[in-house]
Amino acid sequence: MSNTYTKEAPYHPGYEDASFKQEISKSVLELSELRRVNARYLKFADAIVDFCKASHVATKKVTTG
C-alpha cells in the first residue's frame, strides 16, 4: 500500500533539496553573503571605535600631562 502512495505522490513539500546533497540553495548563499558583509562592517566599526578610544586617551594625556 505504501508503494501506491509513493507512485501517486512523488512530490513531498519540504524535501525539495533532499536529492541535491552537493547543491546549496540561493537563499542560503544570499544569507551567507549578507552575514559575511555584516561581519566586515562590524569589524570596521570596531576599528573606528578603537581608534576613537585611543585618540581620546592620547588627547587626555596631552591636556593633563
Side-chain angles (χ1 to χ4, degrees):
M1 188 164 186
S2 64
N3 289 338
T4 306
Y5 290 130
T6 305
K7 288 178 186 176
E8 290 176 2
Y11 174 75
H12 301 286
Y15 293 98
E16 293 87 0
D17 298 329
S19 64
F20 302 105
K21 295 184 182 194
Q22 300 299 326
E23 296 292 322
I24 300 173
S25 68
K26 290 181 183 179
S27 57
V28 170
L29 287 174
E30 185 177 352
L31 181 62
S32 297
E33 179 67 19
L34 288 173
R35 286 181 175 167
R36 187 185 66 80
V37 169
N38 189 33
R40 191 178 91 199
Y41 286 140
L42 289 175
K43 285 180 185 177
F44 186 66
D46 288 340
I48 291 172
V49 169
D50 291 341
F51 176 78
C52 291
K53 284 180 182 178
S55 65
H56 179 70
V57 169
T59 305
K60 217 175 189 183
K61 286 182 181 178
V62 169
T63 57
T64 59

